[in-house]
């Protein structure tokens, strides 16, 4: 006697059980790790503004290859090229991650009923990663495109973008969403690929990291707002004494 098992249909026919599904998982994990590590470095580089304009200026020059310039001034094209690379990684990550999104209203309702009926921390973490991922789908490309079209970075130029161009609103929404999404993503990758068995301990570390990164990111944003409020238009690039 033959026993037949009926599997639920997916929004992407043929994806379940297909070799591509395993490859997509690996691509999603690799790009997620890359973006998560980039976020950790990016927020710390940005937070150098908390040490003063001079400190942030020097960090920018180092990152833009100022040591290879006769004047010591970095090359903004480095920021442009790297931003293009990050955009490609973001698009690739989003493309393989979209297959996990509920495609219909009924699926969202079923997910909500499931979340209300269980108390599983990893499932709740996945839900919040899903929500923040949806938000980032709209916000992240805007930020990256801005850095591609206007790669000039510096204490005054960045403050102008934040304060006078009102980019603070974008960053205020982007910061918590990207931090929560990235840190939960790193946690899920570590668990998924068996890098740790101590889920409770890792969850505590992730919570501390989320709070810490949002705090330093918020303080950096506030610093740019304060600097920008003192700048008169047209804004002149910062020149160290």
């Amino acid at each position: 006697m033959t026993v037949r098992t009926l599997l639920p249909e997916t929004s992407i026919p043929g994806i379940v059980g297909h070799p591509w599904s395993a490859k997509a998982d690996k691509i999603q994990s690799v790009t997620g790790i890359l973006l998560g590590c980039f976020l950790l470095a990016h927020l710390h580089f940005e937070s150098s503004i908390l040490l003063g304009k001079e400190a942030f200026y020097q960090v920018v020059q180092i990152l833009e290859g100022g040591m290879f310039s006769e004047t010591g001034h970095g090359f903004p094209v480095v920021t442009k090229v790297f931003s293009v690379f990050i955009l490609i990684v973001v698009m690739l990550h989003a493309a393989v991650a979209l297959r996990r999104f509920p495609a219909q209203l009924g699926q969202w309702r079923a997910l909500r009923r499931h979340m209300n009926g269980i108390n599983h921390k990893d499932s709740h973490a996945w839900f919040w990663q899903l929500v923040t991922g949806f938000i980032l789908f709209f916000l992240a490309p805007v930020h990256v495109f801005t850095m591609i079209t206007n790669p000039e970075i510096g204490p005054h130029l960045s403050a102008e973008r934040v304060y006078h161009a009102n980019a603070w609103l974008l960053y205020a929404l982007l910061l918590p969403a990207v931090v929560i999404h990235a840190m939960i993503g790193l946690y899920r990758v570590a668990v998924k690929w068996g890098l740790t068995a101590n889920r409770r301990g890792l969850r505590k570390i992730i919570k501390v990291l989320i709070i810490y990164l949002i705090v330093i990111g918020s303080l950096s944003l506030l610093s740019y707002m304060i600097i920008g409020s003192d700048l008169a238009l047209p804004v002149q690039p910062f020149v160290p004494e």
Side-chain angles (χ1 to χ4, degrees):
M1 181 176 65
T2 302
V3 178
R4 299 179 62 187
T5 302
L6 299 179
L7 297 177
E9 294 183 0
T10 65
S11 57
I12 307 179
I15 196 68
V16 175
H18 194 277
W20 162 246
S21 183
K23 293 179 181 178
D25 275 344
K26 292 180 180 179
I27 294 173
Q28 185 176 350
S29 295
V30 170
T31 54
I33 291 173
L34 180 60
L35 293 172
C37 292
F38 165 72
L39 177 67
L40 286 169
H42 179 54
L43 289 179
H44 283 91
F45 290 144
E46 287 288 345
S47 67
S48 62
I49 192 66
L50 300 176
L51 302 177
K53 295 181 183 180
E54 178 74 26
F56 181 67
Y57 176 85
Q58 295 300 333
V59 168
V60 171
Q61 303 318 308
I62 292 173
L63 294 177
E64 291 188 340
M67 69 286 292
F68 302 111
S69 171
E70 293 181 358
T71 62
H73 188 73
F75 304 95
V77 68
V78 174
T79 298
K80 182 188 288 286
V81 172
F82 190 75
S83 296
V84 171
F85 169 72
I86 289 297
L87 179 61
I88 293 173
V89 176
V90 168
M91 293 173 63
L92 181 59
H93 182 74
V96 293
L98 280 174
R99 76 194 199 283
R100 301 291 189 186
F101 273 62
Q104 300 174 354
L105 180 60
Q107 293 175 330
W108 276 103
R109 291 174 177 172
L111 176 61
R112 288 299 303 165
R113 288 195 300 269
H114 175 71
M115 297 298 299
N116 292 331
I118 65 172
N119 185 26
H120 188 255
K121 295 186 182 299
D122 280 12
S123 295
H124 285 273
W126 176 81
F127 174 77
W128 283 111
Q129 193 183 27
L130 187 70
V131 172
T132 53
F134 180 77
I135 295 172
L136 292 176
F137 185 80
F138 299 96
L139 299 184
V142 176
H143 173 53
V144 180
F145 272 123
T146 300
M147 300 313 302
I148 294 174
T149 58
N150 186 19
E152 296 286 344
I153 302 175
H156 288 177
L157 297 177
S158 297
E160 177 189 19
R161 182 183 298 115
V162 170
Y163 183 80
H164 291 286
N166 294 316
W168 65 269
L169 179 58
L170 170 66
Y171 297 148
L173 297 174
L174 180 62
L175 176 63
V178 71
V179 168
I180 292 173
H181 185 83
M183 294 304 101
I184 292 178
L186 290 179
Y187 164 80
R188 296 187 66 236
V189 167
V191 172
K192 180 182 181 67
W193 298 106
L195 301 180
T196 180
N198 186 6
R199 297 193 180 195
R200 179 177 297 181
L202 186 56
R203 279 197 297 266
K204 291 180 180 179
I205 295 175
I206 292 301
K207 289 178 181 178
V208 171
L209 276 175
I210 288 175
I211 295 173
Y212 165 70
L213 292 174
I214 291 179
V215 168
I216 66 170
S218 299
L219 291 176
S220 300
L221 184 59
L222 180 59
S223 295
Y224 289 122
M225 292 287 290
I226 294 174
I227 294 172
S229 65
D230 291 333
L231 297 175
L233 295 176
V235 173
Q236 299 299 319
F238 174 79
V239 178
E241 297 180 359

